[in-house]
């Protein structure tokens, strides 16, 4: 490819800028043909006197269709609406796809974990509609729509079909939330019957499902669930393969795609130069594969394979950041990966 492909880069805040810098360094060293258009969001945007979610950033992703995004802090209990939630809603990024895999060199209780979480990203209990209906009484609205639940069900089955995966498990709590989770299940059943009748799927009540998941995650393949459950189960699943430093993600809509790690801005370690950049780098690899699929350009795939082999080798050589039991800084880990690029 002679020209560079434009992608929006949103460093975010907290550890975001550190892990973004390390990630871009590796992408460049691997020869990924990318041109970065840097835009701000979160506390970084606020500090520049802008909105937490500047319109210019949203417009830029709409224009270029692909973004790599660092984490943005979400204040607890007060303050602004989550930047992550805002961006996903504004761009209609209705599907979060989060692969959770065991890594050689990262010993955990289970080997051979290979799960993919498909999380509905725009409705459910994260609709952000909360009210104080009377003094001392608040309500939080859980939203499920036919359109929203059907499109995420379709995306999950498409994922299984296109990636040759084996089985879909739907986590729900329709025994209690009979209408909202009931609609979710009805939509899965409808889309399955009408469009993917030969693909195997089952449903599990989420509490029992979580117990089985931690007992033996290798029994699961692709997991589908609503927004809030997906947030919680993603972190739980990250814990099964080494923690939040190693789980990437993508947020996909019909038009646009934003790639970001599952972890948050980790304010407890921000600015110390010790954050693990691997989750964002892996998200960058997902972005390269997405670009290969959407443009047909082979050099994206080549760069993705090269980076993947290099970070696997780095971990296998026991070169790791502190969260994985190693002693490398963010930059040293990025350099160790670059050294192992083909
Ligand atoms: P949010 O609710 O904003 O998604 P979270 O609950 O997922 O955030 P994080 O900010 O990701 O929380 O942090 C959870 C813990 O994991 C913290 O102790 C943090 O330091 C650690 N952590 C998260 N990401 C990384 C990383 N990339 N490298 C090392 N440690 C990390």
């Amino acid at each position: 490819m002679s020209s560079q492909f434009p992608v929006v880069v949103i460093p975010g805040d907290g550890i975001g800028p550190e892990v973004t810098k390390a990630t871009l360094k590796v992408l460049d060293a691997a020869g990924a043909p990318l041109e970065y258009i840097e835009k701000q969001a979160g506390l970084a945007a606020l500090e520049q006197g802008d909105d937490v979610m500047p319109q210019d950033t949203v417009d830029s992703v709409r224009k270029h269709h692909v973004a790599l995004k660092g984490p943005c802090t979400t204040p607890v209990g007060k303050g602004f609406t989550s930047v992550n939630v805002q961006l996903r809603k504004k761009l209609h990024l209705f599907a979060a796809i989060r692969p959770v895999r065991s890594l050689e060199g990262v010993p955990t209780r289970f080997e051979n974990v290979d799960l993919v979480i498909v999380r509905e990203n725009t409705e459910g209990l994260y609709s952000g509609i909360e009210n104080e209906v009377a003094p001392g009484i608040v309500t939080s609205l859980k939203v499920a729509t036919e359109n929203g639940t059907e499109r995420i069900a379709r995306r999950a089955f498409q994922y299984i079909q296109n990636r040759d995966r084996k089985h879909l498990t739907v986590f729900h709590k329709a025994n209690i939330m009979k209408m909202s989770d009931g609609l979710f299940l009805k939509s899965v059943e409808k889309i399955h019957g009408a469009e993917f009748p030969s693909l195997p799927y089952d449903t599990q009540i989420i509490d029992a499902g979580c117990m089985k998941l931690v007992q033996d995650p290798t029994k699961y393949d692709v997991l589908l669930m609503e927004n809030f459950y997906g947030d919680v189960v993603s972190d739980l699943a990250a814990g099964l393969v080494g923690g939040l430093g190693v789980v990437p993600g993508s947020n996909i809509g019909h038009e646009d795609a934003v790639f970001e790690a599952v972890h948050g801005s980790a304010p407890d370690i921000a600015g110390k130069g010790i954050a693990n950049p691997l989750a964002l780098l892996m998200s960058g690899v997902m972005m390269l594969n997405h670009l290969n699929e959407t443009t047909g350009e082979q050099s994206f795939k080549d760069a993705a394979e090269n980076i993947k082999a290099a970070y696997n080798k780095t971990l296998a050589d026991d070169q790791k950041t502190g969260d994985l039991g190693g002693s490398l800084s963010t930059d040293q880990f990025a350099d160790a990966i670059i050294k192992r690029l083909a």
Side-chain angles (χ1 to χ4, degrees):
M1 189 174 182
S2 52
S3 59
Q4 310 285 92
F5 193 92
V7 295
V8 178
V9 172
I10 306 169
D13 57 60
I15 59 169
E18 302 161 46
V19 292
T20 302
K21 187 169 148 252
T23 295
L24 298 188
K25 200 170 157 188
V26 179
L27 289 172
D28 285 342
L34 300 170
E35 175 200 342
Y36 308 123
I37 296 148
E38 188 170 322
K39 296 287 169 186
Q40 298 302 332
L43 298 179
L46 269 188
E47 275 160 22
Q48 290 184 2
D50 219 326
D51 276 353
V52 278
M53 189 63 262
Q55 190 56 43
D56 174 50
T57 302
V58 178
D59 290 344
S60 187
V61 183
R62 277 202 188 113
K63 178 171 172 205
H64 299 290
H65 302 300
V66 178
L68 183 65
K69 176 182 164 296
C72 293
T73 301
T74 305
V76 176
K78 56 184 164 41
F80 53 82
T81 319
S82 162
V83 173
N84 311 314
V85 171
Q86 281 191 54
L87 190 66
R88 291 166 196 164
K89 279 193 183 175
K90 284 185 180 187
L91 295 169
H92 308 289
L93 306 173
F94 62 89
I97 312 278
R98 298 170 158 186
V100 179
R101 294 197 181 101
S102 302
L103 291 159
E104 201 196 329
V106 182
T108 50
R109 186 158 174 207
F110 300 97
E111 289 171 9
N112 307 319
V113 177
D114 181 7
L115 298 172
V116 179
I117 294 170
V118 179
R119 164 186 173 186
E120 202 292 322
N121 238 355
T122 57
E123 45 184 50
L125 201 51
Y126 283 2
S127 59
I129 307 168
E130 296 195 302
N131 290 297
E132 183 170 25
V133 288
I137 302 175
V138 296
T139 59
S140 187
L141 207 63
K142 172 157 164 154
V143 177
T145 65
E146 238 171 52
N147 179 44
T149 51
E150 286 183 15
R151 72 182 175 181
I152 193 68
R154 182 175 296 110
R155 183 53 64 97
F157 285 121
Q158 277 168 349
Y159 188 87
I160 297 212
Q161 197 164 57
N162 297 342
R163 310 272 163 156
D164 230 0
R165 303 286 308 205
K166 291 176 219 67
H167 187 87
L168 182 71
T169 302
V170 186
F171 276 5
H172 69 92
K173 194 76 190 175
N175 50 335
I176 306 292
M177 283 166 277
K178 295 182 195 296
M179 292 186 74
S180 52
D181 280 15
L183 176 60
F184 199 97
L185 289 185
K186 220 166 95 187
S187 293
V188 173
E189 195 183 337
K190 176 177 164 190
I191 296 299
H192 178 259
E195 300 174 33
F196 306 92
S198 62
L199 297 185
Y201 92 95
D202 73 328
T203 64
Q204 293 184 11
I205 294 180
I206 186 164
D207 39 4
C210 282
M211 182 201 64
K212 288 187 193 153
L213 189 58
V214 296
Q215 279 181 326
D216 187 358
T218 63
K219 293 225 157 66
Y220 290 88
D221 188 33
V222 180
L223 290 162
L224 167 65
M225 61 204 87
E226 68 95 79
N227 209 339
F228 167 59
Y229 306 154
D231 190 14
V232 177
V233 174
S234 295
D235 277 30
L236 181 154
L240 297 168
V241 295
L244 287 166
V246 298
V247 179
S250 60
N251 302 290
I252 311 270
H254 291 303
E255 305 274 324
D256 308 314
V258 175
F259 297 82
E260 66 178 332
V262 166
H263 63 71
S265 60
D268 53 334
I269 56 166
K272 296 184 179 162
I274 56 169
N276 188 349
L278 188 52
L280 188 65
L281 179 61
M282 290 167 133
S283 308
V285 167
M286 289 178 79
M287 178 178 78
L288 292 172
N289 285 324
H290 170 84
L291 288 170
N292 166 255
E293 282 162 23
T294 51
T295 66
E297 176 55 48
Q298 181 62 28
S299 55
F300 291 122
K301 182 111 207 132
D302 296 342
E305 296 293 318
N306 193 2
I307 295 170
K308 203 171 162 195
Y311 70 64
N312 279 329
K313 180 142 189 16
T314 307
L315 295 173
D317 289 345
D318 212 22
Q319 298 293 301
K320 296 181 246 184
T321 45
D323 57 311
L324 299 179
S327 59
L328 298 188
S329 69
T330 308
D331 288 340
Q332 286 169 335
F333 183 62
D335 289 339
I337 295 173
I338 290 169
K339 238 203 277 178
R340 289 164 178 81
L341 286 168

